[in-house]
Amino acid sequence: MKHRKLFLFSLVPLLTLASCSSGANDANWRKMVSSHLADLKEVTATTYSVSPSGHVGEFGEIEAYEDSYTVPNGAVIGSSNVYRTGYSFIFNLPVRINQENFCPDRETYKEPEKGTAYNYLKSALCYNKDALATMKFKAEDDGSFEFFVNPVSKFFTFNHFYAKNGPETTYLEAYGRFEVHAFYNETGLLVKETCKTVPSGNDSYASTVDVSCTYTYN
């Protein structure tokens, strides 16, 4: 599989070459998030559509996508430890989060293994060489919530973006300092994912990233 790597060095001070880990996302943090997820409303939507936009450096071409996708049920697959959370269009974030697939162990809230919504979020947003930048959680009064890492310096993979007239590719990869957000509604379904480069004071269009994808449910 061919891809293109972009190094947005103008955005990354030399002292921030390491990045996000689970850090403060310990058992107490997972328990706090899990308690909010216990009150999610029922999911009634069965399909969703995506609306991606933006650019990665000088590249703003986006691969064709389906008119409609099936909402994952969020449940465990058979007797495995893998859950049907779905994968978001740009960052492979979980499309559907609930209390069970976020952290199945609700006795000790130990860090779950691969295959959970928590693990997919951490894998997409974090980097294990920096204990300072941590994944954060914010709950709203209406039941919606957000995961974000702000800021983080790392390579990000931008799925479905490609370089026009360049090599065949299915994704772009860029290194920089980013603000990343994943917004979920009151039923635990992803409604928007965003990523922007942190301004450095000398930013050209070709040295910045500004992408987003919104999700509409039916």
Side-chain angles (χ1 to χ4, degrees):
M1 181 182 297
K2 297 180 180 179
H3 66 282
R4 177 170 290 188
K5 281 189 177 182
L6 308 176
F7 293 86
L8 306 180
F9 286 119
S10 64
L11 304 175
V12 188
L14 294 178
L15 294 180
T16 62
L17 293 179
S19 257
C20 177
S21 72
S22 58
N25 306 142
D26 56 12
N28 288 330
W29 185 86
R30 287 187 288 274
K31 182 177 181 180
M32 178 270 296
V33 176
S34 182
S35 66
H36 175 84
L37 299 178
D39 297 324
L40 293 178
K41 295 182 180 179
E42 180 183 0
V43 173
T44 58
T46 57
T47 63
Y48 67 92
S49 58
V50 299
S51 181
S53 62
H55 70 98
V56 180
E58 62 186 290
F59 308 112
E61 302 298 321
I62 302 173
E63 290 182 321
Y65 45 89
E66 302 294 331
D67 292 333
S68 180
Y69 298 88
T70 301
V71 173
N73 64 15
V76 69
I77 300 175
S79 59
S80 70
N81 294 320
V82 178
Y83 291 80
R84 293 187 177 92
T85 65
Y87 299 98
S88 69
F89 189 79
I90 301 177
F91 292 124
N92 286 338
L93 296 167
V95 172
R96 182 169 181 172
I97 292 179
N98 56 39
Q99 188 183 48
E100 176 63 23
N101 67 35
F102 179 76
C103 186
D105 177 8
R106 290 189 295 281
E107 292 185 5
T108 66
Y109 293 93
K110 68 179 181 181
E111 183 166 351
E113 298 178 356
K114 294 181 179 180
T116 63
Y118 171 85
N119 182 269
Y120 296 144
L121 285 162
K122 179 182 174 183
S123 176
L125 301 181
C126 291
Y127 183 48
N128 62 5
K129 292 185 179 180
D130 184 5
L132 297 179
T134 59
M135 182 165 58
K136 299 177 176 63
F137 176 81
K138 180 180 179 182
E140 303 293 347
D141 292 339
D142 63 359
S144 63
F145 55 97
E146 170 190 0
F147 291 95
F148 61 99
V149 180
N150 203 16
V152 56
S153 301
K154 64 173 287 185
F155 266 114
F156 266 107
T157 298
F158 299 87
N159 294 298
H160 304 293
F161 282 81
Y162 68 94
K164 187 176 182 179
N165 300 323
E168 180 183 351
T169 178
T170 55
Y171 64 92
L172 294 174
E173 196 171 39
Y175 187 88
R177 191 154 179 81
F178 302 102
E179 298 177 356
V180 191
H181 297 258
F183 301 91
Y184 290 81
N185 65 18
E186 69 280 1
T187 70
L189 295 176
L190 181 67
V191 293
K192 191 173 186 178
E193 56 182 333
T194 69
C195 180
K196 291 184 178 181
T197 43
V198 177
S200 67
N202 186 25
D203 307 315
S204 66
Y205 181 87
S207 66
T208 60
V209 168
D210 187 353
V211 302
S212 68
C213 186
T214 58
Y215 296 74
T216 302
Y217 294 90
N218 298 289

